[in-house]
Amino acid sequence: MSTPPEPSVRKSAAAVREGRRSALGLVEAVLDRIEATADLNAFITVLGDEAREQARKIDAAVVRSEDPGPLCGVPVAIKDLRNRKRGVRHTLGLEQLSENIADSDSIGVERLEAAGAVIVGTTSTPALGHTIRTENRLVGATPTPFDRERSAGGSSGGSAAALSAGSVRLATGSDIGGSLRVPAACCNVVGLKPTLGVVPERDPSDGFSAHTPFLVSGPMARSAADTALLLDVLAGPDGRDPHSVPETDADYAGAIDRPAGELSVAYSPNLDLQPVAPEVRETVGAAVDDLAAAGSRVDPTGVSLPPYEELSMAYVTQVGAFFGAFADRIAEGYGLDFGAADLEPTVRATIDLAEGIEATDERSRNVPRTAAYDGIEAALSGHDALITPTLTVPPYGKHLGDPFPTEIDGETVRGVPTDAMLTWVFNLTGHPAASVPAGVTDDGLPVGLQVVGGRYAEADVLAVAAALEEARPWAGRYPDP
């Protein structure tokens, strides 16, 4: 098996820029690694020849003393959902779109290539990104490299598995309920959900679709520093996105240098909302203890949220309306008939969530949503971030038909995705949040720790993530896939 890429993306880019390494050499190493870990089903499309050609162009630019950008020659993977590259298959995880070719670049792809990145492939996602497992009929199920029978999470599971296996050092994901953070937790990597508008993007036909609940794209990587560097590339205003925020002086890469002793965090082991498995709670608690030992102020904090049933119904109602409208747009845009199509039961069930939802139903759910926002703001008051577990359980079965737990820490739960995660709350409130590795259970399964910041405070989130990484390093924790 080939050696994984260098641990620092910035150093890799500098080596190519200075002529000490070639972009083509980086790409060849990544393509070898992707082939060696093909059983993870992390990629839907691998761009071998295209990536090599782009790498040659970057190497030629370096010879001409040109600077291709901050990601000079760095291989990057893009999730096959919100991101698209002109001339490359764009499937959204749907068997029915297996031959669909993108006719334009997404904003994220434009920015990646303008920064000198080499896109090496599109990563797997469940159809329409509908759930927190990654399995589709195009490539099959994507497991975490830590256990081939357990899921890499979803819906950015392909990106997370590729990062965990060392196939790439940077990847993109998207998140409407945890789709960046859940896979990060399942695969021992970093996934950051930014505030809406920080990373601009645009659904070709509905520029306002990302608002309810908050749907964003964001960076994924194996370290806080690499995540920050990628966010610096992806963030910034773009007039095509009606939610895009104006230019700021945020320095994400610089934020990781804040000393742990300058940071203050609130800590809630379960958001006072739902049960958390003991092995998850203990692993996250140990990581929090290490952060405190490094000098950060850690305050155990109560979080005032509406009852779980009320708040989860607000989320399900709004996400159901989103997926119903999304499916309608895809069906119309590509000439599909989802009513008659052969779809996986979980895809059908997600689309059918929209049935019977009235406009007034959706709007009325903003009442508990507002209460949740106020509760998170209160918990954050006086702190740089709020820390919670990412998932309430360790990684679960990898197949769409596998059940979710029906009991957690002795409490009966409904066996639905929201039971298994503490991420969806922040797609209702809009706060930026990242999942970073906290440790592993006695069974060797990865556990994620969620870092939540104030709106537009991605720099604070990254500062806490970097302090956790320094206090409790995870770089040597990956299995040989």
mmCIF file of all heavy atoms in Angstrom, residues 18-50:
data_model
loop_
_atom_site.group_PDB
_atom_site.id
_atom_site.type_symbol
_atom_site.label_atom_id
_atom_site.label_comp_id
_atom_site.label_asym_id
_atom_site.label_seq_id
_atom_site.Cartn_x
_atom_site.Cartn_y
_atom_site.Cartn_z
ATOM 1 N N GLU A 18 7.580 25.488 -4.407
ATOM 2 C CA GLU A 18 9.029 25.739 -4.401
ATOM 3 C C GLU A 18 9.799 24.743 -5.257
ATOM 4 O O GLU A 18 11.035 24.777 -5.291
ATOM 5 C CB GLU A 18 9.532 25.708 -2.957
ATOM 6 C CG GLU A 18 8.945 26.822 -2.103
ATOM 7 C CD GLU A 18 9.103 26.582 -0.609
ATOM 8 O OE1 GLU A 18 9.825 25.608 -0.257
ATOM 9 O OE2 GLU A 18 8.515 27.329 0.190
ATOM 10 N N GLY A 19 9.091 23.835 -5.921
ATOM 11 C CA GLY A 19 9.741 22.890 -6.819
ATOM 12 C C GLY A 19 10.397 21.706 -6.135
ATOM 13 O O GLY A 19 11.130 20.942 -6.775
ATOM 14 N N ARG A 20 10.139 21.518 -4.845
ATOM 15 C CA ARG A 20 10.736 20.386 -4.123
ATOM 16 C C ARG A 20 9.930 19.104 -4.310
ATOM 17 O O ARG A 20 10.425 18.009 -4.056
ATOM 18 C CB ARG A 20 10.863 20.720 -2.634
ATOM 19 C CG ARG A 20 11.872 21.819 -2.349
ATOM 20 C CD ARG A 20 12.013 22.113 -0.863
ATOM 21 N NE ARG A 20 10.881 22.882 -0.341
ATOM 22 C CZ ARG A 20 9.950 22.418 0.479
ATOM 23 N NH1 ARG A 20 10.012 21.145 0.877
ATOM 24 N NH2 ARG A 20 8.965 23.182 0.912
ATOM 25 N N ARG A 21 8.674 19.250 -4.683
ATOM 26 C CA ARG A 21 7.822 18.114 -5.024
ATOM 27 C C ARG A 21 7.019 18.503 -6.252
ATOM 28 O O ARG A 21 6.896 19.687 -6.585
ATOM 29 C CB ARG A 21 6.880 17.749 -3.877
ATOM 30 C CG ARG A 21 7.577 17.233 -2.639
ATOM 31 C CD ARG A 21 6.600 16.532 -1.711
ATOM 32 N NE ARG A 21 6.081 15.289 -2.301
ATOM 33 C CZ ARG A 21 5.292 14.438 -1.656
ATOM 34 N NH1 ARG A 21 4.907 14.703 -0.422
ATOM 35 N NH2 ARG A 21 4.878 13.329 -2.231
ATOM 36 N N SER A 22 6.465 17.512 -6.904
ATOM 37 C CA SER A 22 5.635 17.811 -8.070
ATOM 38 C C SER A 22 4.174 17.560 -7.740
ATOM 39 O O SER A 22 3.835 16.654 -6.959
ATOM 40 C CB SER A 22 6.046 16.954 -9.269
ATOM 41 O OG SER A 22 5.677 15.598 -9.068
ATOM 42 N N ALA A 23 3.320 18.359 -8.343
ATOM 43 C CA ALA A 23 1.881 18.127 -8.194
ATOM 44 C C ALA A 23 1.511 16.756 -8.748
ATOM 45 O O ALA A 23 0.663 16.056 -8.183
ATOM 46 C CB ALA A 23 1.107 19.226 -8.908
ATOM 47 N N LEU A 24 2.154 16.374 -9.839
ATOM 48 C CA LEU A 24 1.872 15.071 -10.435
ATOM 49 C C LEU A 24 2.230 13.943 -9.471
ATOM 50 O O LEU A 24 1.486 12.957 -9.354
ATOM 51 C CB LEU A 24 2.645 14.909 -11.745
ATOM 52 C CG LEU A 24 2.381 13.603 -12.505
ATOM 53 C CD1 LEU A 24 0.912 13.455 -12.856
ATOM 54 C CD2 LEU A 24 3.243 13.543 -13.771
ATOM 55 N N GLY A 25 3.333 14.103 -8.745
ATOM 56 C CA GLY A 25 3.703 13.086 -7.771
ATOM 57 C C GLY A 25 2.683 12.964 -6.655
ATOM 58 O O GLY A 25 2.357 11.853 -6.215
ATOM 59 N N LEU A 26 2.159 14.093 -6.181
ATOM 60 C CA LEU A 26 1.119 14.052 -5.158
ATOM 61 C C LEU A 26 -0.128 13.343 -5.675
ATOM 62 O O LEU A 26 -0.728 12.521 -4.974
ATOM 63 C CB LEU A 26 0.744 15.472 -4.713
ATOM 64 C CG LEU A 26 1.766 16.258 -3.898
ATOM 65 C CD1 LEU A 26 1.200 17.633 -3.550
ATOM 66 C CD2 LEU A 26 2.151 15.517 -2.628
ATOM 67 N N VAL A 27 -0.511 13.664 -6.895
ATOM 68 C CA VAL A 27 -1.703 13.054 -7.474
ATOM 69 C C VAL A 27 -1.516 11.557 -7.659
ATOM 70 O O VAL A 27 -2.412 10.760 -7.350
ATOM 71 C CB VAL A 27 -2.063 13.747 -8.808
ATOM 72 C CG1 VAL A 27 -3.067 12.910 -9.602
ATOM 73 C CG2 VAL A 27 -2.621 15.133 -8.537
ATOM 74 N N GLU A 28 -0.364 11.141 -8.148
ATOM 75 C CA GLU A 28 -0.129 9.709 -8.350
ATOM 76 C C GLU A 28 -0.202 8.953 -7.018
ATOM 77 O O GLU A 28 -0.772 7.850 -6.947
ATOM 78 C CB GLU A 28 1.231 9.477 -9.012
ATOM 79 C CG GLU A 28 1.323 9.970 -10.454
ATOM 80 C CD GLU A 28 0.498 9.140 -11.438
ATOM 81 O OE1 GLU A 28 -0.225 8.214 -11.032
ATOM 82 O OE2 GLU A 28 0.588 9.434 -12.650
ATOM 83 N N ALA A 29 0.354 9.539 -5.966
ATOM 84 C CA ALA A 29 0.302 8.881 -4.662
ATOM 85 C C ALA A 29 -1.138 8.745 -4.172
ATOM 86 O O ALA A 29 -1.530 7.709 -3.616
ATOM 87 C CB ALA A 29 1.132 9.669 -3.650
ATOM 88 N N VAL A 30 -1.942 9.785 -4.401
ATOM 89 C CA VAL A 30 -3.346 9.748 -3.979
ATOM 90 C C VAL A 30 -4.127 8.718 -4.797
ATOM 91 O O VAL A 30 -4.932 7.950 -4.247
ATOM 92 C CB VAL A 30 -3.968 11.153 -4.098
ATOM 93 C CG1 VAL A 30 -5.481 11.079 -4.144
ATOM 94 C CG2 VAL A 30 -3.517 12.020 -2.937
ATOM 95 N N LEU A 31 -3.908 8.685 -6.085
ATOM 96 C CA LEU A 31 -4.622 7.718 -6.923
ATOM 97 C C LEU A 31 -4.262 6.284 -6.533
ATOM 98 O O LEU A 31 -5.122 5.396 -6.522
ATOM 99 C CB LEU A 31 -4.315 7.967 -8.396
ATOM 100 C CG LEU A 31 -4.859 9.281 -8.971
ATOM 101 C CD1 LEU A 31 -4.387 9.474 -10.404
ATOM 102 C CD2 LEU A 31 -6.379 9.327 -8.898
ATOM 103 N N ASP A 32 -2.991 6.054 -6.180
ATOM 104 C CA ASP A 32 -2.592 4.733 -5.686
ATOM 105 C C ASP A 32 -3.335 4.385 -4.396
ATOM 106 O O ASP A 32 -3.797 3.256 -4.202
ATOM 107 C CB ASP A 32 -1.088 4.683 -5.429
ATOM 108 C CG ASP A 32 -0.266 4.634 -6.708
ATOM 109 O OD1 ASP A 32 -0.856 4.399 -7.786
ATOM 110 O OD2 ASP A 32 0.960 4.835 -6.628
ATOM 111 N N ARG A 33 -3.446 5.359 -3.521
ATOM 112 C CA ARG A 33 -4.102 5.126 -2.234
ATOM 113 C C ARG A 33 -5.607 4.868 -2.426
ATOM 114 O O ARG A 33 -6.191 4.011 -1.756
ATOM 115 C CB ARG A 33 -3.885 6.341 -1.336
ATOM 116 C CG ARG A 33 -4.357 6.156 0.098
ATOM 117 C CD ARG A 33 -3.431 5.250 0.857
ATOM 118 N NE ARG A 33 -3.772 5.231 2.280
ATOM 119 C CZ ARG A 33 -3.123 4.539 3.189
ATOM 120 N NH1 ARG A 33 -2.081 3.800 2.812
ATOM 121 N NH2 ARG A 33 -3.478 4.554 4.448
ATOM 122 N N ILE A 34 -6.225 5.616 -3.321
ATOM 123 C CA ILE A 34 -7.645 5.403 -3.605
ATOM 124 C C ILE A 34 -7.873 3.983 -4.117
ATOM 125 O O ILE A 34 -8.814 3.294 -3.701
ATOM 126 C CB ILE A 34 -8.157 6.443 -4.620
ATOM 127 C CG1 ILE A 34 -8.177 7.839 -3.991
ATOM 128 C CG2 ILE A 34 -9.549 6.072 -5.124
ATOM 129 C CD1 ILE A 34 -8.470 8.949 -4.972
ATOM 130 N N GLU A 35 -6.998 3.528 -5.004
ATOM 131 C CA GLU A 35 -7.127 2.173 -5.537
ATOM 132 C C GLU A 35 -6.913 1.131 -4.439
ATOM 133 O O GLU A 35 -7.636 0.123 -4.367
ATOM 134 C CB GLU A 35 -6.115 1.957 -6.659
ATOM 135 C CG GLU A 35 -6.217 0.589 -7.311
ATOM 136 C CD GLU A 35 -5.246 0.404 -8.463
ATOM 137 O OE1 GLU A 35 -4.456 1.325 -8.741
ATOM 138 O OE2 GLU A 35 -5.264 -0.674 -9.095
ATOM 139 N N ALA A 36 -5.951 1.384 -3.554
ATOM 140 C CA ALA A 36 -5.650 0.418 -2.500
ATOM 141 C C ALA A 36 -6.763 0.316 -1.467
ATOM 142 O O ALA A 36 -6.874 -0.694 -0.768
ATOM 143 C CB ALA A 36 -4.340 0.796 -1.810
ATOM 144 N N THR A 37 -7.589 1.346 -1.346
ATOM 145 C CA THR A 37 -8.682 1.352 -0.369
ATOM 146 C C THR A 37 -10.039 1.362 -1.063
ATOM 147 O O THR A 37 -11.021 1.861 -0.522
ATOM 148 C CB THR A 37 -8.557 2.570 0.564
ATOM 149 O OG1 THR A 37 -8.560 3.775 -0.214
ATOM 150 C CG2 THR A 37 -7.265 2.509 1.368
ATOM 151 N N ALA A 38 -10.102 0.793 -2.239
ATOM 152 C CA ALA A 38 -11.329 0.830 -3.035
ATOM 153 C C ALA A 38 -12.493 0.141 -2.335
ATOM 154 O O ALA A 38 -13.666 0.459 -2.603
ATOM 155 C CB ALA A 38 -11.086 0.188 -4.401
ATOM 156 N N ASP A 39 -12.201 -0.810 -1.430
ATOM 157 C CA ASP A 39 -13.285 -1.522 -0.752
ATOM 158 C C ASP A 39 -14.083 -0.626 0.191
ATOM 159 O O ASP A 39 -15.159 -1.005 0.658
ATOM 160 C CB ASP A 39 -12.731 -2.714 0.022
ATOM 161 C CG ASP A 39 -11.834 -2.299 1.173
ATOM 162 O OD1 ASP A 39 -10.925 -1.469 0.953
ATOM 163 O OD2 ASP A 39 -12.047 -2.797 2.287
ATOM 164 N N LEU A 40 -13.603 0.587 0.451
ATOM 165 C CA LEU A 40 -14.361 1.527 1.266
ATOM 166 C C LEU A 40 -15.507 2.182 0.486
ATOM 167 O O LEU A 40 -16.380 2.807 1.089
ATOM 168 C CB LEU A 40 -13.442 2.627 1.815
ATOM 169 C CG LEU A 40 -12.405 2.202 2.855
ATOM 170 C CD1 LEU A 40 -11.458 3.347 3.164
ATOM 171 C CD2 LEU A 40 -13.087 1.719 4.127
ATOM 172 N N ASN A 41 -15.484 2.057 -0.826
ATOM 173 C CA ASN A 41 -16.528 2.687 -1.658
ATOM 174 C C ASN A 41 -16.658 4.176 -1.354
ATOM 175 O O ASN A 41 -17.770 4.727 -1.330
ATOM 176 C CB ASN A 41 -17.881 1.994 -1.441
ATOM 177 C CG ASN A 41 -17.845 0.524 -1.783
ATOM 178 O OD1 ASN A 41 -17.147 0.105 -2.704
ATOM 179 N ND2 ASN A 41 -18.590 -0.274 -1.034
ATOM 180 N N ALA A 42 -15.529 4.832 -1.132
ATOM 181 C CA ALA A 42 -15.557 6.245 -0.770
ATOM 182 C C ALA A 42 -15.828 7.151 -1.965
ATOM 183 O O ALA A 42 -16.348 8.254 -1.798
ATOM 184 C CB ALA A 42 -14.235 6.640 -0.112
ATOM 185 N N PHE A 43 -15.486 6.682 -3.162
ATOM 186 C CA PHE A 43 -15.599 7.526 -4.358
ATOM 187 C C PHE A 43 -16.663 6.985 -5.301
ATOM 188 O O PHE A 43 -16.774 5.770 -5.492
ATOM 189 C CB PHE A 43 -14.260 7.597 -5.095
ATOM 190 C CG PHE A 43 -13.235 8.446 -4.403
ATOM 191 C CD1 PHE A 43 -12.466 7.925 -3.374
ATOM 192 C CD2 PHE A 43 -13.052 9.768 -4.774
ATOM 193 C CE1 PHE A 43 -11.533 8.701 -2.714
ATOM 194 C CE2 PHE A 43 -12.109 10.564 -4.130
ATOM 195 C CZ PHE A 43 -11.353 10.026 -3.096
ATOM 196 N N ILE A 44 -17.409 7.889 -5.900
ATOM 197 C CA ILE A 44 -18.308 7.530 -6.996
ATOM 198 C C ILE A 44 -17.575 7.641 -8.322
ATOM 199 O O ILE A 44 -17.685 6.771 -9.184
ATOM 200 C CB ILE A 44 -19.565 8.417 -6.983
ATOM 201 C CG1 ILE A 44 -20.451 8.042 -5.783
ATOM 202 C CG2 ILE A 44 -20.353 8.278 -8.280
ATOM 203 C CD1 ILE A 44 -21.721 8.848 -5.662
ATOM 204 N N THR A 45 -16.791 8.701 -8.495
ATOM 205 C CA THR A 45 -16.014 8.890 -9.720
ATOM 206 C C THR A 45 -14.588 9.285 -9.353
ATOM 207 O O THR A 45 -14.385 10.226 -8.579
ATOM 208 C CB THR A 45 -16.636 9.993 -10.603
ATOM 209 O OG1 THR A 45 -17.989 9.652 -10.918
ATOM 210 C CG2 THR A 45 -15.847 10.156 -11.898
ATOM 211 N N VAL A 46 -13.609 8.559 -9.890
ATOM 212 C CA VAL A 46 -12.200 8.893 -9.703
ATOM 213 C C VAL A 46 -11.694 9.520 -10.993
ATOM 214 O O VAL A 46 -11.858 8.960 -12.081
ATOM 215 C CB VAL A 46 -11.378 7.648 -9.337
ATOM 216 C CG1 VAL A 46 -9.899 8.015 -9.188
ATOM 217 C CG2 VAL A 46 -11.900 7.024 -8.044
ATOM 218 N N LEU A 47 -11.069 10.689 -10.879
ATOM 219 C CA LEU A 47 -10.649 11.457 -12.051
ATOM 220 C C LEU A 47 -9.156 11.274 -12.291
ATOM 221 O O LEU A 47 -8.363 12.202 -12.126
ATOM 222 C CB LEU A 47 -10.982 12.941 -11.843
ATOM 223 C CG LEU A 47 -12.460 13.247 -11.597
ATOM 224 C CD1 LEU A 47 -12.661 14.725 -11.296
ATOM 225 C CD2 LEU A 47 -13.292 12.826 -12.806
ATOM 226 N N GLY A 48 -8.761 10.073 -12.690
ATOM 227 C CA GLY A 48 -7.347 9.794 -12.878
ATOM 228 C C GLY A 48 -6.699 10.649 -13.947
ATOM 229 O O GLY A 48 -5.796 11.449 -13.673
ATOM 230 N N ASP A 49 -7.128 10.513 -15.183
ATOM 231 C CA ASP A 49 -6.484 11.235 -16.286
ATOM 232 C C ASP A 49 -6.667 12.735 -16.143
ATOM 233 O O ASP A 49 -5.728 13.515 -16.386
ATOM 234 C CB ASP A 49 -7.064 10.771 -17.630
ATOM 235 C CG ASP A 49 -6.670 9.344 -17.959
ATOM 236 O OD1 ASP A 49 -5.678 8.847 -17.366
ATOM 237 O OD2 ASP A 49 -7.357 8.716 -18.791
ATOM 238 N N GLU A 50 -7.864 13.157 -15.738
ATOM 239 C CA GLU A 50 -8.122 14.593 -15.591
ATOM 240 C C GLU A 50 -7.240 15.192 -14.499
ATOM 241 O O GLU A 50 -6.692 16.292 -14.650
ATOM 242 C CB GLU A 50 -9.588 14.840 -15.261
ATOM 243 C CG GLU A 50 -10.569 14.369 -16.322
ATOM 244 C CD GLU A 50 -11.062 12.952 -16.076
ATOM 245 O OE1 GLU A 50 -10.288 12.145 -15.494
ATOM 246 O OE2 GLU A 50 -12.200 12.649 -16.463
#
